[in-house]
Amino acid sequence: MAELLKNKYNYESVHELALSIRSVYHPFQVDDFVNDIMDERWNELGLKARMRQIAIRLGKYLPADYEQALGILDEVIAGYPAGFNDFTLMYLPDFVEVYGQDERHWDLSIAALEKYTSSSSSEFAVRPFIINYEERMMSQMAAWAKHDNEHVRRLASEGCRPQLPWGQALASFKKDPSPVLGILEQLKADPSLYVRKSVANNLNDISKTHPDLVAEIAKDWYGQNEHTDWIVKHGCRTLLKKANRDVLAIFGFADADYVNIDAFALGATSISIGGNMVFSFKIEAKKATKVRLEYGIDYVKANGKRNRKIFQISELSLKKNETKTYTKKHSFANLSTRKHYTGIHSVTLIVNGVEQGTLDFEVLAANK
């Protein structure tokens, strides 16, 4: 996501922004603004850095009076069609984060964050307000959780995620997530999938530091509402991968003793970087049962140590004596998010959180 969004912050989009501002604020210096943003460092900047560079230059070329500058940006936003939402406009809430944190600007800034989140997202910009004015800001988030606009309701959850990717970590909520729980409680059956995804991601964040708490929440919430059930399942994904027994039991994956695994084998004992590792196995149910099938890859890292990643194969219900055969292909092509290294790797088959066997294979240098 970050890489794709970064590429949308380019000359064309910055120039379009400048023209939009000049259409409502005629003294705006279009060429100076664009050239000042697209400096010699631009190509090296990541997503957040590009957002920040645009926000800072907005402060430089718009009127120094914060209220007047917001009024101009409000007119720009008003020019977009109803329902428009594009994450490439996140420099607008970032402008509020940079220039509007002073307490005397509170009402203006909160109104702007609410307005701009419907056209982009204020999930990053709201976090310094939480850090600096936690009680007051969380009261505002609770009010936003009741808003009739799904983008604003999502902000109530997304903005207070303890470990939002690319956002400031909320250290106090990592230590004690209780201020977040009331927000999630309000949104646990929200009709919007956009909001429910955020609630689930927030729960998943909390599970990384407070697994027992999330397991208890999952027990309490599960089985009341189909929307809530989806949130619970998605919010417990890290705990499921970590084979948390309480969470596995909630979804009926408590026992691995009712299945037999046979013929677990590799397609080849060595592969080259860029190729595919293939493995197969057969599963048989000794009695009717629910099954969660996963596999773990123990990757060799740059320092020679190994690190496991878990991947899901499927979840299914098996009848007594029912058998299924699986053949799985796993790519070892290098990606922007994962680079592969040579050495002895392993694949482990996991059924309902219980390891069922491990096979080693060698990863060789890429074929030239």
Side-chain angles (χ1 to χ4, degrees), residues 22 38 73 75 80 95 113 170 182 195 208 211 243 283 330 347:
R22 189 173 66 180
M38 311 297 296
L73 295 178
E75 287 191 64
Y80 286 92
F95 176 85
L113 291 173
L170 298 178
V195 176
K208 296 172 184 177
I283 183 169
H330 186 94
V347 56

Side-chain angles (χ1 to χ4, degrees), residues 13 16 53 66 72 110 112 126 142-143 177 181 192 240 249 251 266 269 271 274 286 323 326 355:
S13 63
E16 181 182 351
Q53 181 135 313
Y66 180 63
I72 293 167
I110 296 306
V126 77
L181 301 183
S192 167
L240 286 168
F251 305 110
L266 293 166
T269 57
I271 61 167
K286 292 185 279 188
T323 63
Y326 288 87
E355 296 184 9

Side-chain angles (χ1 to χ4, degrees), residues 271-275 332 334 340-342 363-368:
I271 61 167
S272 298
I273 294 175
F332 272 77
N334 284 331
H340 297 93
Y341 299 92
T342 60
V363 174
L364 308 171
N367 293 323
K368 296 183 179 179

Side-chain angles (χ1 to χ4, degrees), residues 163-190:
Q163 302 185 57
L164 178 68
W166 309 301
Q168 284 181 275
L170 298 178
S172 66
F173 293 167
K174 290 173 68 174
K175 183 178 180 180
D176 176 15
S178 57
V180 178
L181 301 183
I183 304 290
L184 304 188
E185 184 73 31
Q186 288 189 63
L187 299 172
K188 69 180 182 181
D190 197 274

Side-chain angles (χ1 to χ4, degrees), residues 151-169:
H151 297 281
V152 179
R153 297 198 307 277
R154 175 187 180 269
L155 176 60
S157 169
E158 196 72 6
C160 63
R161 284 180 59 182
Q163 302 185 57
L164 178 68
W166 309 301
Q168 284 181 275

Side-chain angles (χ1 to χ4, degrees), residues 253 285 288-291 315-319 322 324:
F253 305 121
T289 190
K290 288 184 68 176
V291 177
E315 293 181 349
L316 68 158
S317 295
L318 292 174
K319 300 175 182 177
E322 184 177 2
K324 285 187 175 293

